[in-house]
Amino acid sequence: YNGHSSVTFFIMLSGFVLSRAYSARMSKGGISYRTFMVKRIARIWPLHFLIALPLLVWTFLRDGTSSVPIIAANLMLLQSWVPHYQYYFSLNFPSWTLSAELFLYVTFPFLTVLSSRRLLGVCGMALVLSVAAPFAFDLIGQLNSMGANGDDFANWFTYINPVIRLSEFSIGIVLYRALSGKYGRILPDFSVFRRSEG
């Protein structure tokens, strides 16, 4: 369970750090969407490929051509979108988090240019969805009645699914804005603790 919590913390931290690094520049047109995405992909994909390469060869030798769609999804960092463990836990299985993170990178420029009230609303709705979905699955008996395949889908829907992770990412963005005074006096003035950038 500690691993589950650390993923949540990492995604919240990612939203916070990206806001600190890019939100002001994006709002002023100092960095384009294309440049932002090139920088983010260059940061995660080369190492992902390097680590996946020996596992890719082993998987292909073991499963043959049947593994090609799985390998392709993994190399394109799309594996977390497929609700089956053979995809989202393929090759280097922790890399599903990179797949989810890529989706969050895609959404970040749009989230960061939203007005304060709208972003708070998006964050609230995403949080409600991520909390309500597991309870909804449990209430309708999906986790117990669908067998192994049901558990597989439920695990994907409530944990792996990149859209579910949007709430944690949005919370990180909101926390940065609150701490930096972007929402006014929601929190005390922490500016005295910030390092001078002049």
Side-chain angles (χ1 to χ4, degrees):
Y1 292 107
N2 290 335
H4 289 63
S5 300
S6 63
V7 170
T8 295
F9 175 77
F10 171 78
I11 291 176
M12 290 175 63
L13 183 63
S14 180
F16 188 94
V17 170
L18 286 178
S19 295
R20 175 70 177 86
Y22 291 104
S23 60
R25 290 160 60 188
M26 283 186 168
S27 63
K28 296 175 182 176
I31 183 171
S32 68
Y33 181 79
R34 180 178 180 276
T35 301
F36 171 78
M37 287 306 303
V38 167
K39 284 178 176 289
R40 302 321 300 169
I41 292 171
R43 188 177 185 276
I44 63 173
W45 192 83
L47 185 58
H48 167 65
F49 178 77
L50 185 64
I51 292 174
L53 189 58
L55 298 169
L56 180 158
V57 173
W58 180 77
T59 300
F60 185 78
L61 291 175
R62 182 191 64 189
D63 299 333
T65 56
S66 65
S67 65
V68 170
I70 296 173
I71 291 171
N74 185 285
L75 292 183
M76 291 187 291
L77 290 175
L78 297 174
Q79 70 268 37
S80 66
W81 290 99
V82 183
H84 195 285
Y85 77 93
Q86 288 185 332
Y87 280 83
Y88 59 72
F89 284 160
S90 61
L91 303 182
N92 177 28
F93 75 87
S95 68
W96 72 265
T97 59
L98 296 179
S99 176
E101 189 76 8
L102 180 61
F103 166 69
L104 299 175
Y105 292 159
V106 170
T107 63
F108 174 76
F110 302 101
L111 291 174
T112 197
V113 299
L114 290 173
S115 69
S116 299
R117 290 183 181 178
R118 287 181 180 175
L119 183 57
L120 284 171
V122 169
C123 181
M125 290 177 63
L127 183 60
V128 167
L129 173 64
S130 66
V131 171
F135 286 106
F137 264 79
D138 190 51
L139 286 173
I140 63 177
Q142 293 280 2
L143 295 179
N144 295 323
S145 65
M146 291 174 63
N149 291 333
D151 289 341
D152 184 34
F153 179 80
N155 182 54
W156 171 81
F157 186 82
T158 60
Y159 186 70
I160 305 293
N161 180 1
V163 176
I164 293 295
R165 294 296 177 174
L166 191 60
S167 62
E168 298 156 348
F169 189 66
S170 298
I171 288 170
I173 296 172
V174 169
L175 284 174
Y176 168 74
R177 290 194 172 192
L179 288 170
S180 63
K182 303 293 184 183
Y183 291 140
R185 287 288 181 165
I186 290 179
L187 295 175
D189 183 8
F190 289 94
S191 61
V192 295
F193 300 106
R194 295 203 301 267
R195 184 177 60 184
S196 172
E197 297 179 2

